[in-house]
Amino acid sequence: MTTRRLPRPRELAPLLRPAAVDLDPTRRRLAAAHTIEDLRRLAARRVPRAIFDYVDGGAEYEVTLRRSRRLFREIELVPSVLRGVSEVDTSRTILGRPSAFPWVYTPTGVTRVMHHEGERAVARSAARLGVPYGLSLISTTSMEDVVAAAPAGRNWLGMGVPSDRDLASRALDRARAAGYEALVVYVDAPTPGARLKDRYNGLTIPPRPTLRTIADGALHPAWWFDLFTTEPIAFPNVHVPPGASVHQISSQLGNPAATLDDFAWLAEQWDGPVLAKGLATARDARRLVDAGAVGVVLSTHGGRQLDQGPLPLRVLPEVVAEVGDEAEVFVDTGVLHGADVVAAVALGATGVFLGRAYLYGLMAGGERGVDRAGEILAEQVVRVLRLLGVTSLDALTPEHVRLP
């Protein structure tokens, strides 16, 4: 039989004490985000629809994007119990140097459109976290300004296979003088993919005022205020016509006439590590490693180039078998959770390239949002390793993962 009594005042006091209210709305908003999907939802509320769609969308019918995410969700992780996992090592050697976590923040263009802090914010956050950051040649911040913002960071440069070798040589000279560590060459973009959402939205950089953008602006006044009260959007590393469409800007990365000889020329011109990003087969991995790549990124450009192509995670084991002893192998597309990172490493990847994961954070809260994205992924990686019974990333093997 339950005996009831009146609570004593000292027992009620803790229950009646109100929780402290954080008066900083950005910090409060980010603290409530516990997954990258949470940051994605915040981002959708913070920026205009056309900007969010540019980051969130893929090419054509977005088949590759959906399949990539579904593949990560359907993998099985195989644990081993009672392994003593109080200490977990999340570090990974990337291009001969330690990285605190097994990922690279991939080069993305027009980042200041997503948040006015742009590439500087990402570079600073990456440097604090201890992971490399790739700057796109079509960035909205100059190579030099990014290094000035994060002088201790591992800054890499991303660019397409050039149609103008003089322009490419000047870009490489600037990157070399600024201290960039590595060159990431996009090999999957002879022409931009058909990103239909951008076409339907009529997205230009900077956005042109239309009835649609004006109406959307009323819902996102803070974003428009930041756009008009900070330095104008510009492309200091390449020439882009004012008011260019996203398709025109993306064309800066492409060269339909490019061949393997052009990639080999780039590798010869750069006196540091060169990675080839955007391949999808072991055959192409072999060709690119033989042409000078020290790393390959199995990539669909985030599902934004060829739709319905091979999924990077699916082809990872055969590529590792082909070139894994000679080059580092990375994957991208669909990586939105620490478990995705762990699965890729277990299947033989050196690490992953992250794009949307940190961009959602940037849109949700600027530099602090990028920090939060890194924190979320780091917490997830540690938790997954412990639950797998593994104390380091290097201890992972294919036996820890079952692909559907």
Side-chain angles (χ1 to χ4, degrees):
M1 181 176 177
T2 302
T3 302
R4 298 188 182 277
R5 66 179 178 83
L6 291 174
R8 296 179 177 86
R10 69 174 179 272
E11 294 170 341
L12 287 174
L15 302 177
L16 299 176
R17 188 179 302 126
V21 177
D22 193 334
L23 299 179
D24 185 324
T26 300
R27 188 166 56 214
R28 186 171 63 246
R29 187 167 61 243
L30 294 174
H34 302 289
T35 66
I36 299 300
E37 181 60 31
D38 289 341
L39 291 177
R40 177 180 179 271
R41 285 191 288 267
L42 287 174
R45 296 201 295 265
R46 298 293 298 173
V47 303
R49 175 65 180 271
I51 304 301
F52 180 78
D53 282 352
Y54 171 70
V55 174
D56 194 60
E60 305 284 355
Y61 296 106
E62 300 184 343
V63 173
T64 294
L65 184 57
R66 289 195 304 273
R67 284 178 176 172
S68 294
R69 289 176 173 169
R70 186 168 64 243
L71 179 59
F72 276 112
R73 295 287 72 79
E74 292 179 352
I75 60 174
E76 290 183 357
L77 298 174
V78 184
S80 182
V81 300
L82 300 177
R83 292 291 184 176
V85 290
S86 56
E87 298 293 330
V88 172
D89 182 7
T90 62
S91 66
R92 193 78 163 152
T93 299
I94 295 179
L95 299 186
R97 295 175 57 187
S99 177
F101 296 93
W103 61 72
V104 177
Y105 286 159
T106 196
T108 60
V110 299
T111 312
R112 283 193 56 238
V113 174
M114 301 158 206
H115 190 278
H116 65 281
E117 295 177 354
E119 293 89 354
R120 294 181 184 91
V122 185
R124 287 191 293 260
S125 182
R128 280 193 299 273
L129 189 61
V131 299
Y133 167 57
L135 179 76
S136 172
L137 193 63
I138 58 169
S139 63
T140 44
T141 306
S142 73
M143 301 181 210
E144 295 80 5
D145 286 347
V146 166
V147 172
R154 296 184 63 182
N155 298 305
W156 298 3
L157 178 67
M159 63 185 296
V161 180
S163 55
D164 183 337
R165 289 192 173 184
D166 289 338
L167 176 65
S169 292
R170 290 194 296 273
L172 295 181
D173 287 343
R174 285 179 61 186
R176 189 180 297 111
Y180 279 72
E181 175 188 351
L183 180 66
V184 181
V185 182
Y186 319 129
V187 296
D188 62 341
T191 190
R195 300 164 196 173
L196 300 179
K197 288 179 179 176
D198 296 340
R199 296 186 183 184
Y200 294 144
N201 288 327
L203 180 61
T204 63
I205 307 298
R208 290 194 190 103
T210 64
L211 288 177
R212 178 185 290 183
T213 59
I214 291 170
D216 202 23
L219 301 175
H220 305 94
W223 183 90
W224 286 99
F225 177 79
D226 288 336
L227 177 69
F228 289 123
T229 60
T230 56
E231 57 186 299
I233 299 295
F235 297 88
N237 302 316
V238 294
H239 172 68
V240 174
S245 69
V246 169
H247 181 87
Q248 291 171 318
I249 295 169
S250 298
S251 297
Q252 297 277 343
L253 299 177
N255 174 14
T259 68
L260 194 64
D261 290 340
D262 295 298
F263 176 87
W265 177 84
L266 267 180
E268 291 174 358
Q269 298 302 305
W270 183 250
D271 50 7
V274 177
L275 296 89
K277 180 177 183 294
L279 54 125
T281 66
R283 180 182 63 253
D284 276 345
R286 166 52 57 199
R287 293 172 62 226
L288 286 156
V289 169
D290 289 347
V294 302
V296 293
V297 188
L298 307 179
S299 169
T300 69
H301 228 92
R304 296 159 67 83
Q305 284 299 106
L306 174 68
D307 204 14
Q308 298 179 259
L311 303 184
L313 190 68
R314 182 74 72 185
V315 301
L316 172 60
E318 61 189 84
V319 173
V320 170
E322 177 67 31
V323 300
D325 292 337
E326 304 166 57
E328 297 184 13
V329 181
F330 301 83
V331 296
D332 75 8
T333 309
V335 183
L336 295 174
H337 193 283
D340 305 340
V341 178
V342 170
V345 173
L347 291 173
T350 300
V352 301
F353 272 47
L354 297 175
R356 290 183 179 91
Y358 79 78
L359 292 176
Y360 291 144
L362 181 68
M363 291 187 290
E367 187 169 337
R368 286 182 288 175
V370 182
D371 287 344
R372 184 62 186 141
E375 290 168 2
I376 288 170
L377 291 167
E379 291 167 3
Q380 291 171 342
V381 166
V382 170
R383 183 169 61 250
V384 171
L385 288 177
R386 282 181 169 152
L387 292 173
L388 282 175
V390 175
T391 57
S392 74
L393 291 166
D394 292 341
L396 291 167
T397 72
E399 294 181 355
H400 288 105
V401 179
R402 293 178 186 149
L403 286 175

